[in-house]
Amino acid sequence: MISRRPLAARATLRLAAVMALAVTLLSLGAMALQYRLVEARLMQAQRALLSADLDGFAALYDQRRIIALRQAIDYRAAAATGGEMLLLLDRNGTVLAGTRGGWPEGLQAEGDSFAVEPARAFSEAGTRWLAVARDLPGGFPLLVARSLQPVDDTLAAMRRGMLALLAAMLVAGGVVGWLAARSVMGRIGRLNDLADRVAEGALDARLPGPRSPDEFGLLETHVHGMLDRIQNLNRATHRLSDTIAHELRTPLNRMLLKLSRIEGQEDLAADLRAEMRQAIRMFDSLLDISRAEADQGSGGGLVPVDLSAVAGEVWELYEPLAEDKGLDAQALIAPGLRVLGDRNLIAQLLSNLLDNAIKYCAKGDLLTLTVAEAGDSILMRVADTGPGLPADMRGAAFERFVRADRDRGIKGHGLGLALVRAIAARHGARLTLPEGNTGFTLEILWPRLQQSD
């Protein structure tokens, strides 16, 4: 699965881009070095040819001076192919022999020997030349030069090849990098999806298919092992709490029966019975939460339910209680909204929310129940203008036995919202606590029952 995050936020794409850029820069450096080496070798070859020409002319000059040199240049000029430049002048600047009619403009004669150094490069009519210009004893200027056109042609062809290769490397690097990033993002996306499902409460979620024998496969195996361990610990914890609740609930009921047979000290017996009933209700709530969590995701036992009708019936029970406490109560329930659910659990969820709102609100506060369409979902909102949740409790509002210190004097065990969350999860509904509102607001998005369900 490919992530839908912006491209700039994908670490794998950034890594692929950096690697492609690094490879491209290294390739550019290698190509530049290769270019300079080829250029040096070609120039060295031209210098070697120029040196051979000078050595030959030097040997002739040693034998018969200018006469032999003139004859040799005449002979070479007759067979010249355009790749060499030869010229011998007399002391008055008259051409004695050569491939051209005059001395190149701006080129100065240096020294009177036949050594190849110093040699100078100059351009004429768009062609570069490597030249040795000397002023031989007696005032006879000598020019021996080699065309650098073969060198320039070879280097130009090399540059064109390098540019084509660089373009191909950029395209291939981009395609390979994109494919690599897509593969990596897909495998990371699988793990992120798994983490999201586990975070939503599906501890039994696992990645489908076999594990590959690479680092990602090993990571998936470790993640599965960790989830198996967490799931086993969670089951053991739930079994323990369920067992404690069952084991304590029964003797409490027996003690409650025995208290009814005691005569005298009626006030003390009544207090004991009230305490025991509260303890029994707490254990009942714990067992309800465990049952709802155990059935989460199974879908078993859920039938089409008219959510609007259930909400209306529960509201009719609690509206008088709200009015008795002096609350301004209103219900906005759209008719005929249906979900796939358990009617009793939905009623229990809504009862908990309304009971909490009435319990914590004061006279004059506003209590509103809303049930309305929200696209493919159904929105249920319970909102009041009471004291709301302390800011530091929002993250743990749905945990068991969590209560604000200021509410310790109000009857309750901190299990109401935990049961609401378990029932909502049982129905695949999503809970949210909108921020920025005064009082307490809880929204539940129920999956709407489709006609085909």
Side-chain angles (χ1 to χ4, degrees):
M1 179 176 294
I2 301 300
S3 172
R4 294 184 292 274
R5 298 174 60 200
L7 291 178
R10 300 180 188 176
T12 48
L13 277 183
R14 291 202 302 272
L15 179 60
V18 170
M19 293 179 65
L21 180 61
V23 171
T24 301
L25 290 177
L26 286 175
S27 301
L28 277 175
M31 286 190 288
L33 178 60
Q34 181 70 17
Y35 180 87
R36 291 303 177 190
L37 289 175
V38 171
E39 183 182 28
R41 292 298 297 271
L42 291 174
M43 290 299 293
Q44 187 179 11
Q46 293 301 100
R47 287 180 185 277
L49 292 174
L50 193 59
S51 177
D53 289 341
L54 290 171
D55 289 344
F57 290 145
L60 293 172
Y61 183 80
D62 289 342
Q63 295 174 7
R64 295 170 58 198
R65 301 297 176 185
I66 295 298
I67 295 176
L69 191 58
R70 180 178 182 179
Q71 291 175 344
I73 292 177
D74 275 340
Y75 178 77
R76 292 279 302 276
T81 59
E84 57 187 0
M85 184 184 291
L86 303 172
L87 185 62
L88 178 64
L89 304 180
D90 64 10
R91 59 176 60 89
N92 297 320
T94 302
V95 176
L96 297 178
T99 60
R100 55 185 294 145
W103 193 264
E105 185 177 355
L107 183 63
Q108 299 295 325
E110 300 175 277
D112 57 1
S113 72
F114 286 89
V116 73
E117 295 297 343
R120 293 288 182 270
F122 73 96
S123 296
E124 187 178 74
T127 302
R128 291 199 310 138
W129 296 83
L130 181 63
V132 171
R134 300 288 184 263
D135 194 3
L136 299 179
F140 294 91
L142 172 66
L143 172 65
V144 180
R146 281 278 173 179
S147 173
L148 295 179
Q149 191 62 44
V151 175
D152 291 341
D153 290 345
T154 302
L155 293 178
M158 193 172 179
R159 287 195 296 271
R160 289 193 295 271
M162 287 180 172
L163 288 176
L165 179 61
L166 179 62
M169 287 178 59
L170 288 175
V171 173
V175 172
V176 172
W178 182 79
L179 290 175
R182 180 184 174 86
S183 174
V184 173
M185 284 192 297
R187 305 190 71 172
I188 292 176
R190 279 163 48 90
L191 288 171
N192 283 332
D193 289 341
L194 174 62
D196 289 341
R197 292 166 61 192
V198 172
E200 291 172 355
L203 288 179
D204 57 343
R206 297 293 184 272
L207 292 174
R211 310 275 83 77
S212 56
D214 56 12
E215 288 79 2
F216 280 104
L218 183 61
L219 176 60
E220 291 175 1
T221 301
H222 288 165
V223 171
H224 279 196
M226 179 182 66
L227 291 177
D228 289 342
R229 178 64 174 162
I230 292 174
Q231 190 177 22
N232 289 335
L233 290 174
N234 192 56
R235 285 173 178 166
T237 302
H238 283 180
R239 279 197 299 269
L240 178 62
S241 61
D242 289 352
T243 301
I244 293 174
H246 275 295
E247 294 299 324
L248 290 181
R249 188 171 179 272
T250 302
L252 282 173
N253 278 320
R254 290 175 183 162
M255 293 166 66
L256 198 59
L257 289 174
K258 291 178 180 177
L259 274 177
S260 63
R261 300 170 192 164
I262 296 177
E263 296 181 357
Q265 297 184 328
E266 296 299 332
D267 293 341
L268 177 59
D271 290 342
L272 288 173
R273 280 195 291 271
E275 292 292 337
M276 289 179 181
R277 289 194 183 97
Q278 283 194 31
I280 292 171
R281 281 197 291 272
M282 181 184 69
F283 292 135
D284 287 342
S285 297
L286 285 172
L287 292 172
D288 290 340
I289 293 171
S290 294
R291 280 193 291 269
E293 290 179 342
D295 293 337
Q296 178 181 339
S298 65
L302 301 184
V303 297
V305 174
D306 189 332
L307 185 64
S308 301
V310 175
E313 292 169 7
V314 175
W315 179 256
E316 287 180 1
L317 294 176
Y318 282 87
E319 185 180 20
L321 298 177
E323 291 175 351
D324 287 347
K325 195 170 181 180
L327 305 185
D328 184 5
Q330 60 179 0
L332 306 171
I333 303 174
L337 301 179
R338 291 158 57 83
V339 300
L340 196 63
D342 183 308
R343 183 183 183 86
N344 293 331
L345 289 179
I346 294 174
Q348 189 174 3
L349 175 149
L350 190 52
S351 298
N352 272 13
L353 292 176
L354 294 177
D355 183 70
N356 272 350
I358 295 171
K359 188 188 304 179
Y360 292 107
C361 284
K363 182 178 181 181
D365 282 331
L366 173 64
L367 171 62
T368 304
L369 168 63
T370 304
V371 179
E373 295 185 41
D376 293 336
S377 303
I378 299 174
L379 172 67
M380 176 183 286
R381 178 190 297 119
V382 176
D384 63 55
T385 57
L389 282 174
D392 59 348
M393 276 192 58
R394 296 186 66 84
F398 296 104
E399 299 298 328
R400 303 179 192 189
F401 301 111
V402 171
R403 304 188 71 194
D405 291 337
R406 70 178 187 202
D407 300 329
R408 296 295 177 188
I410 300 177
K411 185 186 299 184
H413 302 96
L415 294 173
L417 290 181
L419 181 58
V420 167
R421 181 179 65 172
I423 294 175
R426 167 82 171 93
H427 291 79
R430 186 161 59 88
L431 283 176
T432 56
L433 293 174
E435 296 185 3
N437 298 318
T438 58
F440 177 80
T441 300
L442 186 143
E443 293 183 348
I444 307 174
L445 278 178
W446 300 82
R448 188 169 184 174
L449 179 65
Q450 304 300 322
Q451 293 297 329
S452 56
D453 292 338

